[in-house]
Amino acid sequence: MNKICIIGVGLIGGSFAAGLKKANKVASIVGFGRDENNLAKAKELNVIDEYTLDIAKALDGADLVMIATPVNSFKAILEMIKPHVNKKMIITDVGSTKGSVIQIAEQVFGYMPENFIPAHPIAGKERSGVEAADATLFNHRRVIITPGKNANTQAVVTVSDLWESVGAKIEIMNEIKHDDLLAMTSHLPHMLAFSLMDYLISSNPEACKYAAGGFKDFSRIASSDAVMWRDICINNPDQIVKHIEGYQKSLDKVANLIKNQQPKELEKLFLDAKSARDSWLKD
């Protein structure tokens, strides 16, 4: 590609840009955002080639624009870029919810543009910001693409090819399946980590001083970006609440086994869980 514009050069957008530069897939990568200091830092780190605070300049001649900002900002961003995009310019994103992204696009454009190819990389760190950008972040990680029914086939191929060039494994599914799976495997664990920390600091702020490695491992993702996770909750509420309630039933089951002094049943539950996790780690 000749030129790609990335709106929101943070951990994910910056890592994508760094990966593309490493793979020599794009002649020029321009960053756009509200924070000039962040954009200047991205250029200094050689994550992007140039930056601008002028959206018309950022999109002029671009083959593709990636939106890598919190999902609640998408409506304003799509309204901002709408006058400057054409059918030849691919629009894509990295949002953690896909149903809401498609709904927002339909609101702004009046339909789902055939050149808008939603995507979600299943990768990240608890650290955020362009300083955490890593060209290898997506190596052997899944990227789920959720094209609309009218999606341009070549645009899907192009987006897939770019992600594959930074080491990702592509999977295509509809947005409903995506949002349900991610609510279970990504959104729920973050809710558990955040709520665990909330429980500790509200019950006994001194407790963290006595926590060991297991607590550190479990609570790691509570260091994730609060704004991003706020937006994910607001944009995928039904699925997240469904799985929180489902998990609560599992906790109730464990509590009852402990309360009723049922060691064999507890051991079986723990062994089944260990076996399932060990098997997953081998995949």
Side-chain angles (χ1 to χ4, degrees), residues 119-138:
H120 177 211
I122 314 300
K125 300 179 180 178
E126 64 271 22
R127 293 173 58 209
S128 58
V130 71
E131 292 88 352
D134 179 357
T136 66
L137 182 65
F138 308 110

Side-chain angles (χ1 to χ4, degrees), residues 185-196:
T185 60
S186 175
H187 306 168
L188 176 62
H190 280 81
M191 298 309 102
L192 302 183
F194 286 129
S195 60
L196 174 63

Side-chain angles (χ1 to χ4, degrees), residues 15-277:
S15 295
F16 183 70
L20 291 178
K21 288 175 72 67
K22 183 179 179 182
N24 293 316
K25 291 291 289 186
V26 185
S28 176
I29 300 177
V30 59
F32 174 86
R34 296 179 300 177
D35 186 343
E36 186 168 7
N37 289 333
N38 179 71
L39 293 170
K41 185 67 175 179
K43 184 176 180 182
E44 177 187 329
L45 293 171
N46 199 34
V47 169
I48 57 176
D49 298 302
E50 59 179 310
Y51 68 85
T52 178
L53 303 181
D54 182 340
I55 192 61
K57 183 178 179 182
L59 295 179
D60 184 32
D63 301 299
L64 178 145
V65 54
M66 169 181 279
I67 304 170
T69 60
V71 176
N72 275 6
S73 67
F74 274 40
K75 188 172 188 291
I77 289 174
L78 289 177
E79 288 173 342
M80 176 180 63
I81 71 173
K82 183 179 177 180
H84 307 288
V85 298
N86 54 60
K87 291 185 177 181
K88 293 183 179 180
M89 186 188 303
I90 297 171
I91 306 168
T92 190
D93 78 297
V94 293
S96 295
T97 61
K98 301 276 55 109
S100 61
V101 167
I102 291 172
Q103 289 175 5
I104 292 167
E106 290 173 342
Q107 289 173 11
V108 173
F109 292 96
Y111 58 93
M112 182 61 178
E114 64 179 27
N115 56 323
F116 190 166
I117 312 300
H120 177 211
I122 314 300
K125 300 179 180 178
E126 64 271 22
R127 293 173 58 209
S128 58
V130 71
E131 292 88 352
D134 179 357
T136 66
L137 182 65
F138 308 110
N139 281 358
H140 309 297
R141 299 298 183 92
R142 279 189 172 84
V143 170
I144 300 175
I145 297 177
T146 62
K149 294 179 181 178
N150 65 330
N152 180 284
T153 303
Q154 186 54 53
V156 175
V157 170
T158 299
V159 171
S160 300
D161 178 62
L162 289 174
W163 279 112
E164 286 176 344
S165 74
V166 299
K169 299 183 290 185
I170 306 302
E171 191 162 337
I172 294 178
M173 65 177 66
N174 65 52
E175 70 278 9
I176 297 172
K177 181 178 179 181
H178 168 277
D179 287 356
D180 184 58
L181 284 174
L182 269 294
M184 188 183 298
T185 60
S186 175
H187 306 168
L188 176 62
H190 280 81
M191 298 309 102
L192 302 183
F194 286 129
S195 60
L196 174 63
M197 292 305 304
D198 176 68
Y199 174 70
L200 259 67
I201 62 179
S202 61
S203 300
N204 185 353
E206 299 292 309
C208 289
K209 294 181 180 179
Y210 305 96
F215 179 84
K216 183 178 180 182
D217 291 343
F218 187 90
S219 64
R220 176 183 63 82
I221 53 177
S223 294
S224 300
D225 185 83
V227 173
M228 181 182 78
W229 282 100
R230 175 203 69 189
D231 285 3
I232 289 171
C233 289
I234 296 303
N235 284 280
N236 199 25
D238 294 343
Q239 300 296 343
I240 292 174
V241 170
K242 178 182 77 173
H243 292 302
I244 288 175
E245 292 173 345
Y247 184 76
Q248 183 63 57
K249 292 178 181 177
S250 292
L251 280 179
D252 290 341
K253 180 169 69 174
V254 173
N256 285 328
L257 291 176
I258 296 171
K259 186 188 301 183
N260 296 320
Q261 294 290 288
Q262 294 177 269
K264 290 183 179 180
E265 290 79 359
L266 273 172
E267 183 179 359
K268 182 179 185 307
L269 187 150
F270 297 158
L271 283 172
D272 288 347
K274 172 179 167 49
S275 176
R277 186 175 189 275

